[in-house]
Each structure stands twice: as structure tokens, then as C-alpha cells.
Amino acid sequence: MNHKSAEQLSIEAKELIVNYLDKYDELKNKERTAIPSQEMPSQEPEVRIKNLDEVALGYTIEQARIEAMRCLQCVKKTCVDDCPVRIDIPRFINHIAHAEFENAAAVIKEASLLPAICGRVCPQEVQCQQTCMVGKALKDVDKAVAIGRLERFIADWERSTGKISIPEVKHETGKKVAVVGSGPAGLVVAADCRREGHHVTVFEAFHKLGGVLRYGIPEFRLPNDIIDREIDTLTQMGVEFQTNFVVGKTRKLMDLINKDGYHAVFVGTGAGLPMFMNIEGENLVGVFSANEYLTRANLMRAFEKGKADTPIYPSKNVAVLGGGNVAMDAARMAKRLGAENVYVVYRRTEVEMPARKEEVAHAKEEGIEFYFLQNAKKILGNEKGRVNAMECLRYELGEPDSSGRRRPVVIPGSEFILDVDTIIVAIGNGSNPLISQTTPEINVNKWGNILVDETQKTSVDRIFAGGDIVLGAATVILAMGEGRRAAASINKMLADEIGKEKIE
Ligand SMILES: Cc1cc2nc3c(=O)[nH]c(=O)nc-3n(C[C@H](O)[C@H](O)[C@H](O)COP(=O)(O)OP(=O)(O)OC[C@H]3O[C@@H](n4cnc5c(N)ncnc54)[C@H](O)[C@@H]3O)c2cc1C
Ligand code: SF4
């Protein structure tokens, strides 16, 4: 990708917008699709690999307005159909085109509570932007209206102008809701239940709030400050937070209802159990799960050399196994922590990689090397038990498997050695078994994911669940969607009870 500086993009947008300011409402579809799509300004690659600051810098006002003017304001809103929380996309975009940013923010907030987060990390290219008519007309999904970037622009504009509105909270109902886990699913439930006037307590196992948003996704993609501000809104609404509280250990799940007087519980404990390759040498010093590596860096601030209690392992040559967002984050973090060479080793090709395209492009710009159609066979160590190499195999693609992706098939005799001192395994996460082991009443499937009905209710009365603990490792917006549904069910259950109590 040819990197254009933020200044250059800003100048180009200022020059371009004068052509459209007076005639935006009269533009024909053909003229709108001819407006150049706006590139996201970002830090220079050689600068950003030496810091943890956010890579993408956000649109300027002119860029946002021009990008918004590309929207055709379709009558059949395919983009809205593909948004898991059904934001009225054309309506908020139309407000941006007219520079009515407060109105745009209000439209987004009707459906989404965490726009600054979703605008940054949602996989828009396989959701709203995938079926955008502009992308279709130009036969290139990368040329679709940049809905996610516009959502981020509005959320950032709101924050920078201090115009964040605190959602209204109804009169206290006297009902208590417990939320287990402070990831996106839990935060949405906390907000939606608090709005109805219920007392909400969020219990979080870690000492910091935000779930994967905080300990998984690095600051260079999602700054902690943004998570803090979203949580601050909840605190101002009256939500109570208890950190260092492991439900299942500190207190049993059923005790929250039977002894502590909670009228409903939402379990949003995520999928935090790392999976490994189960190959020889995986217990050598220098092998990390991506979870551990990223948690040490993000949550324990291991990059603060000399200051952090949990300094990171010094690496020169790092192999990251996997091809998803987690693999990209781990690889880019390793580079920022000082590794000279970082290789992403993935057993399929780039086409099948589940990582967001934009993150792969950023990783490439930052000098991460991709080894496609290869995988680890064995990890080799030295006499001190530390990793010093990895034996790999080459693959070719066969017929599609149950995931719909072409199955990687080993090429016999293709073994070769890669010299590495650190290996980060990023091949997926399973559910943490703590809740299911300590709450035998709750039904789970064979992977330990909690089973729920269409209202997000579990097999136990008053206990609801959602997000990764139900879906398996999924996405922020899907976790939020499940939280929304669960909160609606809890609110309905409690409203019915309050109604009955009044009659009695
Ligand atoms: C490195 C990484 C990068 C990702 N990148 C993206 C991306 O770009 N886009 C995207 O959409 N998705 C991404 N995801 C996935 C996304 O973050 C998750 O799908 C989402 O966070 C799930 O939300 P959740 O609320 O279900 O759970 P989580 O975010 O996992 O939160 C669960 C919370 O529950 C707490 N908890 C667990 N057990 C207990 C207990 N017993 N008691 C109390 N608290 C408990 C945990 O500490 C945690 O804080 C990424 C994931 C990772 C790991
Ligand atoms: S599909 Fe694309 S062009 Fe049509 S309304 Fe949605 S964002 Fe605008």
C-alpha cells in the first residue's frame, strides 16, 4: 500500500469538498459513486512500530463529509440488514454529509452503545460494508462507503467536543441485576438494565474492566482511554463495579440469587481459555499463548521495561501461529516490543485468513512477514529448555472442509527448520470451565459453551448468558447483540414481576 501522510490526505479533502458543498443534495448516484473514497490517515509505519499509540488517526471533518457524500441513501438498506445491531446507517451518514454531527451521534446511539469501539474493531467488510451498493457498483468491497470509519468519526467527535450524553435512568425499581464479566456483552447488559431503573452490579475477575477490549486488543488498535470513557458513562448512570471478583470462586453463581438477593444474573464470561497445537516442545520456555502474551503486554504493561513487575520475554525472532485478528495483534505487539523479525505462520493462504483485511495490510506495512501454507510440526529447544527453532511443514489446499474453507493438506517430506526464539500460539480460544464446573445446574455443550434459548435464558431460572461464552470466540458486535437481547429479556421478566407485585 502506498502510504499517504495525514497532512496530505487532509489537504486533498479540503480541496475536494468545495466541489460538493452546494450541490450535495442534487448529486446523482453516478456522481456520488465517482467521489473518491477517503483513505484513513495513519501513523507512518516506521514510527508506529516504536510506539503503542493508535495506528489509525481518524478522518478529518472534510474527509468524513466527503466519504458520507458517497452514500446513495438507498431505499432498500442492505447495509442496515447486515449490521448486527441495526444502526440506521443511511440516516446517520446523511447527517454527517450535512455536518449535523450531534444528530448523527443520536441516530447511532439509538442502536449502539459503544460506537467508538465498534467503529474501530468491527469487521465491517464482512458486515454492513459487504453489501453496500457503492462497493457493488464499483465491484470492490474496499470501495464501499466506509461506514465503520464514519461511525468512529462521530464517536470521536462527540468525545473531543465533550458532548457525550448520559443515558436517562428511570426511577429505582428495587430490583437487583448481577452481571458477571465486564466485556462488551456485560457492559451492554449493565447499561440496558440500569436504564430501566434496576440496581446493577458488574463482577469482574480481573483488576481492570473491559474484558478482551482491554486485555486482548492492543492500545495501538483500541486505546484504553476510550474503554475508560465508555465505562465512565456507566458509572455516571449508577452502575456499580466490583473488580477482583471471580464468580465461581469468590462467590458461587447460585449464591448471587439464593443468598445475595439478585433478581437476575447475566453471565458474559467470554472465551478466555487458550488452545494449543498439542505438538512436541510446546512447554519449552519461549512458547506463549497469544492470550498470555497480549495480557502481559496490555494489562500488566510488560512493555514498560524496568518498571513492570512482569517484564516481557526478550525476543529477536518470533513466530506467531494462526491467521486471525488475535494472531495479527500478537505479531504487531511483538514487533513493538522489540523483535527484529516476526513471522506469521498460517497453514492456508491469505484468502482464507480470518483476520480483518485492514489489520493484515497494517501488519505488512510494519514489516511482519507472512509464511502461508506452512505450519509448525515440532518446537525445538536448547540445553536450557528455551526455544531455539521450529520444525515446519509445507501444505497445499485440498477440498473445502466443514468451515467452507479449503482444507490444508500436508506435503509429505516438506519439513524445514525456522530459527526462532519465541513462539506465540494464536489458534483460538475455548470457554473457561469455572462457571460450568461450579454451577452443575447450568447446561453447556461439549465445548463448554453455555446453552441458551432465543431470549438468552440458560437452563436455570433468572440466569441469562451471552457473548463469547455462548457463541464461542466471536466478535464484539455479536457479543453486544446478545447482551442487548438478554437485557431486554431480563427487563421484561422484572417488569412483569413488578406488575404482579403491584396487583397483589
Ligand atoms: C486479541 C484479540 C483481538 C480481537 N480482535 C477483535 C476485532 O478486531 N474485532 C472484533 O469484533 N472482535 C475481536 N476479538 C473478539 C472480541 O474481543 C470478543 O468476541 C468479545 O470481546 C467478546 O465479548 P464478551 O463480553 O463475550 O467477553 P470478553 O470480552 O471475553 O469479556 C469477558 C470478561 O469476563 C471476565 N470473567 C471471566 N470469567 C469470570 C468469572 N468467573 N467471574 C468474573 N469475571 C469473569 C473476564 O475477565 C473478562 O473481563 C478479538 C479477541 C482477541 C482475544
Ligand atoms: S448500502 Fe451503502 S450506499 Fe446504500 S445506504 Fe447503505 S451505506 Fe449508503
Side-chain angles (χ1 to χ4, degrees), residues 70-74 76-80 89-90 93 128 131-134 145 147:
R70 300 179 64 234
C71 173
L72 308 178
Q73 295 295 312
C74 305
K76 189 174 172 327
K77 306 166 182 180
T78 49
C79 52
V80 181
I89 293 167
I93 290 184
C128 52
T131 49
C132 168
M133 287 303 158
V134 175
V145 176
I147 301 166

CSV table of all heavy atoms in Angstrom, one decimal, residues 70-74 76-80 89-90 93 128 131-134 145 147, ligand 2:
chain,number,residue,atom,x,y,z
A,70,ARG,N,-20.7,10.0,-0.4
A,70,ARG,CA,-20.6,8.9,-1.4
A,70,ARG,C,-21.8,8.0,-1.2
A,70,ARG,O,-22.1,7.2,-2.1
A,70,ARG,CB,-19.3,8.1,-1.2
A,70,ARG,CG,-18.1,8.9,-1.4
A,70,ARG,CD,-16.8,8.0,-1.2
A,70,ARG,NE,-16.7,7.0,-2.1
A,70,ARG,CZ,-16.6,5.7,-1.8
A,70,ARG,NH1,-16.5,5.3,-0.5
A,70,ARG,NH2,-16.5,4.8,-2.8
A,71,CYS,N,-22.5,8.1,-0.1
A,71,CYS,CA,-23.6,7.2,0.2
A,71,CYS,C,-24.8,7.5,-0.7
A,71,CYS,O,-25.1,8.7,-0.9
A,71,CYS,CB,-24.0,7.3,1.7
A,71,CYS,SG,-25.5,6.4,2.1
A,72,LEU,N,-25.5,6.5,-1.2
A,72,LEU,CA,-26.5,6.7,-2.2
A,72,LEU,C,-27.9,6.8,-1.5
A,72,LEU,O,-28.9,7.0,-2.2
A,72,LEU,CB,-26.6,5.5,-3.1
A,72,LEU,CG,-25.3,5.1,-3.8
A,72,LEU,CD1,-25.5,3.9,-4.7
A,72,LEU,CD2,-24.8,6.2,-4.7
A,73,GLN,N,-27.9,6.7,-0.2
A,73,GLN,CA,-29.2,6.8,0.6
A,73,GLN,C,-30.2,5.8,0.0
A,73,GLN,O,-31.3,6.2,-0.3
A,73,GLN,CB,-29.7,8.3,0.6
A,73,GLN,CG,-28.8,9.3,1.3
A,73,GLN,CD,-28.7,9.0,2.8
A,73,GLN,OE1,-29.7,8.8,3.5
A,73,GLN,NE2,-27.5,9.0,3.3
A,74,CYS,N,-29.8,4.6,-0.1
A,74,CYS,CA,-30.6,3.6,-0.7
A,74,CYS,C,-31.9,3.4,0.0
A,74,CYS,O,-32.0,3.5,1.2
A,74,CYS,CB,-29.9,2.2,-0.7
A,74,CYS,SG,-28.3,2.2,-1.4
A,76,LYS,N,-33.7,0.5,-0.3
A,76,LYS,CA,-33.5,-0.8,0.3
A,76,LYS,C,-32.2,-0.8,1.0
A,76,LYS,O,-31.1,-0.9,0.4
A,76,LYS,CB,-33.6,-1.9,-0.8
A,76,LYS,CG,-33.7,-3.3,-0.2
A,76,LYS,CD,-33.9,-4.3,-1.3
A,76,LYS,CE,-33.7,-5.8,-0.9
A,76,LYS,NZ,-32.8,-6.0,0.2
A,77,LYS,N,-32.2,-0.8,2.4
A,77,LYS,CA,-31.0,-0.5,3.1
A,77,LYS,C,-30.2,-1.8,3.4
A,77,LYS,O,-30.3,-2.4,4.5
A,77,LYS,CB,-31.3,0.2,4.4
A,77,LYS,CG,-32.1,1.5,4.2
A,77,LYS,CD,-32.6,1.9,5.6
A,77,LYS,CE,-33.5,3.1,5.5
A,77,LYS,NZ,-34.0,3.5,6.8
A,78,THR,N,-29.5,-2.3,2.4
A,78,THR,CA,-28.8,-3.6,2.6
A,78,THR,C,-27.8,-3.5,3.7
A,78,THR,O,-27.5,-4.5,4.4
A,78,THR,CB,-28.1,-4.0,1.3
A,78,THR,OG1,-27.4,-2.9,0.8
A,78,THR,CG2,-29.1,-4.5,0.2
A,79,CYS,N,-27.2,-2.3,3.8
A,79,CYS,CA,-26.2,-2.2,4.9
A,79,CYS,C,-26.8,-2.4,6.3
A,79,CYS,O,-26.2,-3.0,7.1
A,79,CYS,CB,-25.5,-0.8,4.8
A,79,CYS,SG,-26.7,0.6,4.7
A,80,VAL,N,-28.0,-1.8,6.5
A,80,VAL,CA,-28.6,-2.0,7.8
A,80,VAL,C,-29.0,-3.4,8.1
A,80,VAL,O,-28.8,-3.9,9.2
A,80,VAL,CB,-29.9,-1.1,7.8
A,80,VAL,CG1,-30.6,-1.2,9.2
A,80,VAL,CG2,-29.6,0.4,7.5
A,89,ILE,N,-28.0,3.3,9.2
A,89,ILE,CA,-26.8,3.7,8.6
A,89,ILE,C,-27.0,4.9,7.7
A,89,ILE,O,-26.3,6.0,7.8
A,89,ILE,CB,-26.0,2.6,8.0
A,89,ILE,CG1,-25.5,1.6,9.1
A,89,ILE,CG2,-24.8,3.0,7.1
A,89,ILE,CD1,-25.1,0.3,8.6
A,90,PRO,N,-27.9,4.8,6.7
A,90,PRO,CA,-28.0,6.0,5.8
A,90,PRO,C,-28.4,7.3,6.5
A,90,PRO,O,-27.9,8.3,6.1
A,90,PRO,CB,-29.1,5.6,4.8
A,90,PRO,CG,-29.5,4.2,5.1
A,90,PRO,CD,-28.7,3.7,6.2
A,93,ILE,N,-25.4,8.7,8.3
A,93,ILE,CA,-24.4,9.2,7.3
A,93,ILE,C,-24.9,10.5,6.6
A,93,ILE,O,-24.1,11.4,6.4
A,93,ILE,CB,-24.2,8.1,6.2
A,93,ILE,CG1,-23.4,6.9,6.8
A,93,ILE,CG2,-23.4,8.7,5.0
A,93,ILE,CD1,-23.0,5.8,5.9
A,128,CYS,N,-21.8,-4.7,7.4
A,128,CYS,CA,-22.5,-3.6,6.7
A,128,CYS,C,-21.9,-3.3,5.3
A,128,CYS,O,-22.6,-3.0,4.3
A,128,CYS,CB,-22.6,-2.4,7.6
A,128,CYS,SG,-21.0,-1.8,8.2
A,131,THR,N,-22.3,-5.5,1.7
A,131,THR,CA,-23.4,-5.4,0.7
A,131,THR,C,-23.7,-4.0,0.3
A,131,THR,O,-24.7,-3.7,-0.3
A,131,THR,CB,-24.7,-6.1,1.3
A,131,THR,OG1,-24.9,-5.5,2.6
A,131,THR,CG2,-24.6,-7.6,1.3
A,132,CYS,N,-22.8,-3.0,0.7
A,132,CYS,CA,-23.1,-1.6,0.3
A,132,CYS,C,-23.1,-1.5,-1.2
A,132,CYS,O,-22.3,-2.0,-1.9
A,132,CYS,CB,-21.9,-0.8,0.9
A,132,CYS,SG,-21.9,0.9,0.3
A,133,MET,N,-24.1,-0.7,-1.6
A,133,MET,CA,-24.4,-0.6,-3.1
A,133,MET,C,-23.3,0.2,-3.8
A,133,MET,O,-23.1,0.0,-5.0
A,133,MET,CB,-25.7,0.2,-3.3
A,133,MET,CG,-26.9,-0.7,-3.0
A,133,MET,SD,-26.8,-2.2,-4.0
A,133,MET,CE,-27.8,-3.3,-3.1
A,134,VAL,N,-22.5,1.0,-3.1
A,134,VAL,CA,-21.4,1.7,-3.7
A,134,VAL,C,-20.3,0.7,-4.0
A,134,VAL,O,-19.7,0.7,-5.1
A,134,VAL,CB,-20.9,2.9,-2.8
A,134,VAL,CG1,-19.7,3.5,-3.4
A,134,VAL,CG2,-22.0,3.9,-2.6
A,145,VAL,N,-18.9,2.5,0.9
A,145,VAL,CA,-18.9,3.6,1.9
A,145,VAL,C,-18.2,3.1,3.2
A,145,VAL,O,-18.6,2.0,3.7
A,145,VAL,CB,-20.3,4.1,2.2
A,145,VAL,CG1,-20.3,5.2,3.2
A,145,VAL,CG2,-21.0,4.6,0.9
A,147,ILE,N,-18.4,2.8,6.3
A,147,ILE,CA,-19.4,3.0,7.4
A,147,ILE,C,-18.7,3.0,8.8
A,147,ILE,O,-19.0,3.8,9.6
A,147,ILE,CB,-20.5,1.9,7.3
A,147,ILE,CG1,-21.1,2.0,5.9
A,147,ILE,CG2,-21.5,2.1,8.4
A,147,ILE,CD1,-22.0,0.8,5.6
B,2,SF4,S1,-25.9,0.3,1.1
B,2,SF4,FE1,-24.1,1.8,1.1
B,2,SF4,S2,-24.9,3.4,-0.3
B,2,SF4,FE2,-26.7,2.2,0.3
B,2,SF4,S3,-27.5,3.3,2.1
B,2,SF4,FE3,-26.1,1.7,2.9
B,2,SF4,S4,-24.1,2.8,3.1
B,2,SF4,FE4,-25.4,4.1,1.8
